[in-house]
C-alpha cells in the first residue's frame, strides 16, 4: 500500500494532472493574505474559490499538512508576531489590528501557542536584542584594549 502512495506522489511531481489543486491553494493563499484581518470565515473562502469545505480541507491537509482554518489562524498569528516585534502598538491595539475583538482572548490564544503572553514575548525579545547589541559592543571594544 505504501508503494502505491509513493507512486501517486511521484506522478504528481511528473505530470500536470494536479495543477488545478495547486492553483486553488495559490488562490487561497492570496485570499487569506488580503482578507485575514476581516474575514475569518473559511466558508467565504470556499465560496470565492468555488469548492466545498471538505475538498479545500483535503487539499490543504494533503499538500500543507493542516486545515484551511489552521492556515488562516497561522497567518493571523504571524501578523501578531510581526506587530509585536516591529511596532510600538499596545497589546490592545494589536488585538484590534489583527481583527480580534477581545484582548484577553488574543492573549490566551497567543500564550497557548508561544508559551508566553504577548507582553512577555515583546519584553523577552527586547531583552535579547539589547543583550546581543551589548555583547557585540563589548566584543568590539575588547579588540582595542591594550
Amino acid at each position: 500500500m505504501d508503494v502505491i502512495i509513493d507512486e501517486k506522489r511521484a506522478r504528481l511531481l511528473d505530470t500536470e494532472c494536479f495543477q488545478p489543486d495547486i492553483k486553488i491553494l495559490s488562490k487561497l493563499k492570496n485570499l487569506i493574505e488580503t482578507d485575514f484581518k476581516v474575514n475569518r470565515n473559511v466558508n467565504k473562502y470556499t465560496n470565492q474559490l468555488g469548492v466545498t469545505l471538505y475538498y479545500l480541507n483535503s487539499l490543504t491537509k494533503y499538500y500543507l499538512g493542516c486545515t484551511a482554518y489552521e492556515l488562516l489562524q497561522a497567518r493571523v498569528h504571524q501578523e501578531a508576531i510581526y506587530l509585536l516585534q516591529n511596532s510600538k502598538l499596545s497589546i490592545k491595539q494589536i488585538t484590534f489590528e489583527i481583527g480580534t475583538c477581545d484582548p484577553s482572548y488574543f492573549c490566551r490564544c497567543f500564550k497557548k501557542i508561544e508559551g508566553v503572553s504577548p507582553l512577555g514575548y515583546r519584553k523577552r525579545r527586547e531583552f535579547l536584542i539589547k543583550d546581543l547589541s551589548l555583547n557585540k559592543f563589548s566584543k568590539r571594544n575588547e579588540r582595542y584594549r591594550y
Side-chain angles (χ1 to χ4, degrees):
M1 190 70 171
D2 292 328
V3 176
I4 295 171
I5 292 173
D6 291 338
E7 288 176 10
K8 284 182 180 179
R9 289 191 181 183
R11 277 185 266 150
L12 282 175
L13 298 174
D14 293 336
T15 64
E16 295 182 11
C17 63
F18 285 93
Q19 200 68 349
D21 293 348
I22 303 303
K23 287 181 181 178
I24 290 172
L25 291 175
S26 178
K27 286 180 185 177
L28 175 64
K29 181 184 174 201
N30 290 336
L31 287 171
I32 288 175
E33 192 62 38
T34 58
D35 291 344
F36 73 93
K37 291 182 183 179
V38 293
N39 183 12
R40 299 283 175 82
N41 188 349
V42 179
N43 289 325
K44 290 183 181 177
Y45 293 118
T46 60
N47 290 338
Q48 291 175 331
L49 294 169
V51 296
T52 64
L53 181 59
Y54 178 80
Y55 182 69
L56 185 62
N57 279 332
S58 66
L59 287 179
T60 57
K61 281 183 184 179
Y62 183 78
Y63 289 105
L64 305 173
C66 63
T67 65
Y69 182 75
E70 291 168 339
L71 191 63
L72 176 61
Q73 291 303 311
R75 179 61 184 101
V76 172
H77 185 72
Q78 179 185 8
E79 183 70 13
I81 286 179
Y82 175 81
L83 291 172
L84 284 167
Q85 293 176 348
N86 299 307
S87 74
K88 297 293 182 188
L89 295 174
S90 68
I91 304 303
K92 186 175 182 179
Q93 290 170 322
I94 290 173
T95 301
F96 293 121
E97 183 68 27
I98 63 171
T100 306
C101 297
D102 184 13
S104 62
Y105 175 74
F106 166 69
C107 290
R108 281 194 312 271
C109 292
F110 190 91
K111 188 171 183 175
K112 184 186 279 188
I113 295 168
E114 292 296 325
V116 65
S117 69
L119 187 59
Y121 180 88
R122 179 180 271 171
K123 286 182 178 181
R124 181 179 64 188
R125 185 172 189 283
E126 289 172 358
F127 174 77
L128 289 174
I129 289 172
K130 286 179 184 176
D131 189 43
L132 286 174
S133 64
L134 288 175
N135 285 339
K136 287 180 184 177
F137 181 72
S138 63
K139 287 180 183 177
R140 246 185 287 147
N141 286 341
E142 285 177 8
R143 286 185 282 168
Y144 298 108
R145 289 186 185 177
Y146 294 102

